[in-house]
Amino acid sequence: MARRTKIYEGKAKILYEGPEPGTIVQYFKDDATAFNAQKKDVIEGKGVLNNRLSEFFMTGLNQIGVPTHFIKRLNMREQLVRQCEIIPLEVIVRNFAAGTMAKRLGIEEGLQLPRPIVEYCYKDDKLGDPLVTEEHIAAFGWASQQDMDDILSLALRVNDFLSGVMMAVGIKLVDFKIEIGRVYDGDFQRLIVADEISPDSCRLWDIETGQKLDKDVFRRDLGSLTDAYTEVARRLGVMPKSSTPISKPKLIN
Ligand SMILES: Nc1ncnc2c1ncn2[C@@H]1O[C@H](COP(=O)(O)OP(=O)(O)OP(=O)(O)O)[C@@H](O)[C@H]1O
Ligand SMILES: [Mg+2]
């Protein structure tokens, strides 16, 4: 069998050419990195969990009419997605102060923000993904004004959806990051949610105890990252196939 063509290997995922033009296969690795890859480890099972969780969130978004790149899951570690031109921005939505925002503004972590705050960082590892304003984005042509309106609306819809899904299982959505891609349908271009949505890219705190159930467990050495992600998956009813009960055979007429 011919080997697949690798398009890109990042810190958390590998991209392969998909079976149809305009599709790619995302392979979720077990590698964990933090602080712009200064801290690294291999966390067994993380890729499997993130593949399932990203499938769960992207499928839900597709169902409520928020377009995403997700087409279907292929196996434990891979999903088929629509290829897009990634807009070079990390779009961050914050509901509570945490991480760099808390540090930058001298706000206590956990403070509820008066309203969701959307931030943009320029995607460039060498520069450490610096915070930018809409002025930079417009001046350097990374996205048009129409794109920015669409990105804001997508980000807030993702926030409402994820906040609700998490709230229902006793988890507070503190903040998250998404990437947005451009796709072309004939002469029309539109923007879709791409990359991944997983505990690697969200801050998730237990509502009752405040326990962290996201990548901060790794960043801050707070215990087992796999346990934290498994707990999120368990609460959402998203479990790796191997642990789901085998259903009885059904009679086919
Ligand atoms: N649908 C898509 N089409 C094309 N590229 C995509 C799509 N979804 C995600 N990507 C890109 O695939 C890569 C995924 O790999 P990974 O998340 O490991 O990258 P990374 O190490 O975080 O680096 P980067 O700084 O490039 O995001 C990212 O560069 C992401 O922007
Ligand atoms: Mg990434």
Side-chain angles (χ1 to χ4, degrees):
M1 209 170 81
R3 267 196 74 75
R4 300 186 281 186
T5 313
K6 194 194 271 192
I7 303 173
Y8 179 81
E9 176 154 4
K11 297 184 289 291
K13 300 185 287 297
I14 306 174
L15 306 184
Y16 296 100
E17 257 176 24
E20 314 281 341
T23 64
I24 50 177
V25 173
Q26 267 191 329
Y27 174 98
F28 286 75
K29 304 196 287 185
D30 280 343
D31 300 17
T33 60
F35 311 117
N36 203 11
Q38 287 169 43
K39 183 176 164 101
K40 285 187 203 164
D41 205 349
V42 176
I43 313 277
E44 214 185 313
K46 180 175 85 84
V48 174
L49 284 156
N50 281 352
N51 187 28
R52 297 296 291 233
L53 284 164
S54 201
E55 171 193 17
F56 176 80
F57 297 127
M58 296 274 185
T59 306
L61 286 168
N62 283 341
Q63 280 168 354
I64 63 159
V66 178
T68 81
H69 71 167
F70 182 80
I71 301 172
K72 67 172 177 181
R73 187 168 57 81
L74 298 171
N75 55 49
M76 295 283 274
R77 284 187 183 272
E78 293 178 328
Q79 51 184 247
L80 185 68
V81 300
R82 184 155 178 194
Q83 184 161 28
C84 50
E85 282 173 26
I86 295 289
I87 294 184
L89 297 173
E90 304 218 319
V91 180
I92 300 161
V93 184
R94 300 179 180 275
N95 299 305
F96 297 84
T100 49
M101 184 209 220
K103 203 182 267 174
R104 198 184 315 117
L105 300 180
I107 306 174
E108 195 190 332
E109 279 216 317
L111 183 93
Q112 183 160 24
L113 300 170
R115 61 185 177 88
I117 295 179
V118 182
E119 293 179 346
Y120 305 99
C121 291
Y122 178 53
K123 254 172 76 68
D124 187 322
D125 281 346
K126 285 195 283 315
L127 302 175
D129 299 334
L131 188 70
V132 292
T133 68
E134 291 193 47
E135 282 288 288
H136 299 100
I137 297 168
F140 294 119
W142 296 325
S144 68
Q145 190 52 55
Q146 177 64 54
D147 291 339
M148 291 314 291
D149 294 348
D150 293 348
I151 290 173
L152 183 65
S153 135
L154 281 172
L156 293 175
R157 289 192 74 193
V158 172
N159 186 41
D160 285 346
F161 172 77
L162 284 183
S163 295
V165 167
M166 290 303 180
M167 185 62 71
V169 295
I171 295 174
K172 187 150 93 178
L173 179 67
V174 173
D175 56 34
F176 66 91
K177 164 239 143 177
I178 49 173
E179 291 183 25
I180 304 288
R182 209 186 289 283
V183 288
Y184 297 90
D185 291 323
D187 286 345
F188 294 97
Q189 64 124 17
R190 57 196 184 93
L191 301 183
I192 63 177
V193 178
D195 199 47
E196 71 176 274
I197 301 177
S198 74
D200 268 9
S201 51
C202 302
R203 277 201 177 85
L204 306 170
W205 296 357
D206 181 88
I207 286 176
E208 296 293 325
T209 64
Q211 188 194 352
K212 294 187 189 349
L213 298 168
D214 55 63
K215 206 164 92 172
D216 274 346
V217 172
F218 170 71
R219 288 191 194 96
R220 305 179 189 187
D221 295 318
L222 299 175
S224 160
L225 192 74
T226 322
D227 286 356
Y229 289 20
T230 304
E231 175 61 12
V232 176
R234 188 193 65 77
R235 289 197 198 184
L236 293 169
V238 179
M239 292 300 278
K241 266 247 155 55
S242 58
S243 56
T244 52
I246 297 162
S247 57
K248 286 188 199 146
K250 287 194 190 83
L251 198 64
I252 299 167
N253 296 315

